[in-house]
Amino acid sequence: MSTLNAGMTRDAAFELLSAHNHDPFHIEHAETVEQTMRYFAREYDPENEEFWGIVGLLHDLDWEEHDDEPAMHTLYAAPLIEEAGGTPELVRAIQSHTSDYNTDLPKPELMMEKILFATEELTGLIGAAVIMRPSKSVMDFNVKSLKKKFKDKRFAAGVSRDVIRQGAEMLGWELDEVFARTIEAMQSFAPDRDTFGKDADE
């Protein structure tokens, strides 16, 4: 596989994220998706783990400032990323996750783009479900519990179940496999940082 160049370091990407996102929830979501992407990169594309991580970190760069224009999501982000030195490959990967909103944007083709598409909304659903649990931890969360929340359309209603289904199809994975592997990804970094308990206890 070829080496992908993001055109910026992780620190520069986080600085850019912080300049346009001030809600701790959005920062936390960005870091959760970053770590999820890194987890899958270690399996599928280890030499590009840093690139996968930066894609995850910046995937929603413009959402906080423009969440009233979903069809424009990631279009506002592109020039911000370019000005910070981001490469066309980085912009493309980020924009591919909103091709369901805007059909003019590139469809996911690389494994990285398909995984971002499939897991980004799902991490939000898992995070919302985990906060409701007594433990506030993803460590004792399982597929059975996630399936219940997935079927209940009133729970975390902003999470698109259709996007998650489309992402699973792109990957050629059953929904249960996407669920299990995304939970495993989140468990891989939760012990080092209590991702979901922090805000719930305050």
Side-chain angles (χ1 to χ4, degrees):
M1 286 190 182
S2 59
T3 305
L4 295 164
N5 176 24
M8 62 172 77
T9 62
R10 195 268 175 195
D11 287 348
F14 188 79
E15 201 174 300
L16 181 62
L17 177 75
S18 304
H20 295 278
N21 290 269
H22 306 290
D23 183 336
F25 176 82
H26 290 147
I27 301 281
E28 189 172 299
H29 173 64
E31 291 182 310
T32 297
V33 176
E34 174 196 10
Q35 293 299 329
T36 300
M37 292 295 287
R38 284 178 177 275
Y39 173 87
F40 283 107
R42 288 193 288 275
E43 179 174 351
Y44 291 107
D45 192 12
E47 69 186 67
N48 287 313
E49 181 185 335
E50 189 77 353
F51 187 94
W52 285 51
I54 290 171
V55 168
L57 191 65
L58 294 181
H59 78 281
D60 273 354
L61 175 63
D62 60 15
W63 185 251
E64 185 174 308
E65 293 173 339
H66 300 285
D67 62 358
D68 56 338
E69 298 178 84
M72 297 294 290
H73 179 32
T74 70
L75 290 173
Y76 287 111
L80 301 175
I81 293 167
E82 286 161 1
E83 283 163 24
T87 59
E89 294 92 334
L90 178 62
V91 172
R92 194 215 121 83
I94 288 167
Q95 289 193 328
S96 71
H97 95 279
T98 51
S99 55
D100 58 311
Y101 278 134
N102 186 337
T103 52
D104 292 336
L105 292 174
K107 294 272 187 296
E109 289 175 10
L110 300 175
M111 189 67 173
M112 167 190 55
E113 295 165 347
K114 292 175 183 177
I115 285 176
L116 177 65
F117 193 97
T119 63
E120 185 257 332
E121 295 262 324
L122 188 54
T123 62
L125 183 64
I126 294 168
V130 162
I131 285 171
M132 307 296 289
R133 295 170 72 78
S135 67
K136 306 282 191 284
S137 171
V138 75
M139 298 311 292
D140 59 2
F141 192 56
N142 59 38
V143 171
K144 187 179 173 186
S145 299
L146 179 55
K147 282 169 88 166
K148 279 186 196 163
K149 297 299 186 188
F150 186 84
K151 285 175 184 167
D152 179 1
K153 293 192 173 69
R154 292 168 301 173
F155 181 79
V159 172
S160 171
R161 273 66 171 173
D162 285 341
V163 163
I164 296 167
R165 285 192 195 95
Q166 285 173 43
E169 275 178 39
M170 284 178 197
L171 288 164
W173 296 356
E174 296 292 328
L175 261 182
D176 279 16
E177 184 178 357
V178 177
F179 290 170
R181 299 189 72 180
T182 306
I183 291 170
E184 285 164 14
M186 292 171 75
Q187 287 172 338
S188 75
F189 57 87
D192 300 324
R193 172 171 169 264
D194 192 1
T195 319
F196 310 101
K198 193 176 60 182
D199 295 330
D201 293 334
E202 284 173 4

